[in-house]
Every structure is written in structure tokens, then in C-alpha cells.
Amino acid sequence: MMDNNDYNKIFASKTKSLAITIIKEFSKLPYNEAFSVMRKQIYRSSTSMAANYRAMCRARSKAERFSKLSIVIEETDETLFWLEMLEELNYVQQEILLDLKIKTEEVLKTTSSYRKMLKD
């Protein structure tokens, strides 16, 4: 049976892996001024999502955990926003975006549910 620490380690690894995948996939793409700005933004939001989830795992109180989780949700939603922008602008292959969007939405749903549980 998994305890919260095991789950948090697995999920922290999952968010870090998602950020790494985003960086690797978008680093392969050619330079374009508009895309470059969006690439920088999605790098920032996805790595912040992963870093803040990791920080949430080490929170010293329920309030701190809730606060860090709120940042994770905000950064994950921003990552999803940039993926949607890239999709609508056709800057990235649709197959790549679909996979990243599914994984990002999963993180968003999971962390939102976790935060709701902490609120109760």
C-alpha cells in the first residue's frame, strides 16, 4: 500500500518529467520570434509547476501545503494555456501537443482535487 510520501514522490517525478518533455520537444523546433516568446513562457510555467509541487511535498504546515499547491495549479493552468495557444497557432505538431495537453490536464485535475481535499 502506498502512503502519501510515496505518492508525492511519484507525482513530483511525473511533474518534473512533464517539464523535461516540454523542454526537449520545444527545443527541437526552429527559431521563430513569436514562438520563441511562447517557448520561454511555457518553459517557465512548466518548470515552476514541477518545482512548486516538489516544494509542496516538503511543506511544514497545511497552510503552506495549500499555498504551494495553489501555485502548482496556477502554473499548470498557465502551461495548459500556452499549449492551447501553440495549438491554435499551429506552431507545433498536433500529436505532440495532444499528448502534452492530456498530461498537463491530468496534473491540473489531480492537484485541484488534492487542494479541494486540503480545504475541507
Side-chain angles (χ1 to χ4, degrees):
M1 186 172 154
M2 266 198 312
D3 67 6
N4 273 352
N5 287 334
D6 291 336
Y7 178 80
N8 283 336
K9 284 179 188 174
I10 291 168
F11 205 77
S13 177
K14 188 176 209 165
T15 58
K16 182 178 176 184
S17 177
L18 177 56
I20 289 169
T21 301
I22 286 171
I23 292 167
K24 283 182 176 179
E25 287 297 331
F26 295 165
S27 292
K28 296 176 192 174
L29 301 171
Y31 180 81
N32 165 314
E33 191 172 343
F35 175 64
S36 181
V37 170
M38 286 183 262
R39 179 175 15 212
K40 188 180 286 189
Q41 290 298 120
I42 200 167
Y43 285 176
R44 287 180 180 157
S45 63
S46 64
T47 55
S48 180
M49 166 195 65
N52 278 289
Y53 190 86
R54 182 176 171 149
M56 187 278 310
C57 294
R58 291 174 169 69
R60 294 165 292 199
S61 67
K62 188 175 178 180
E64 186 178 355
R65 179 170 282 121
F66 187 87
S67 176
K68 289 293 180 187
L69 202 51
S70 294
I71 295 168
V72 172
I73 291 165
E74 183 179 331
E75 296 295 341
T76 305
D77 189 54
E78 183 178 339
T79 300
L80 190 56
F81 169 80
W82 290 116
L83 290 170
E84 290 168 357
M85 289 287 289
L86 292 167
E87 179 179 44
E88 290 178 31
L89 291 166
N90 292 312
Y91 282 154
V92 182
Q93 287 181 347
Q94 297 302 312
E95 305 80 47
I96 293 169
L97 285 173
L98 180 61
D99 181 55
L100 293 173
K101 280 177 61 183
I102 288 169
K103 290 176 179 176
T104 304
E105 286 169 349
E106 181 183 322
V107 170
L108 187 57
K109 288 176 186 174
T110 303
T111 52
S112 294
S113 293
Y114 187 19
R115 183 176 67 174
K116 187 176 180 183
M117 183 185 77
L118 285 175
K119 200 175 195 177
D120 297 336

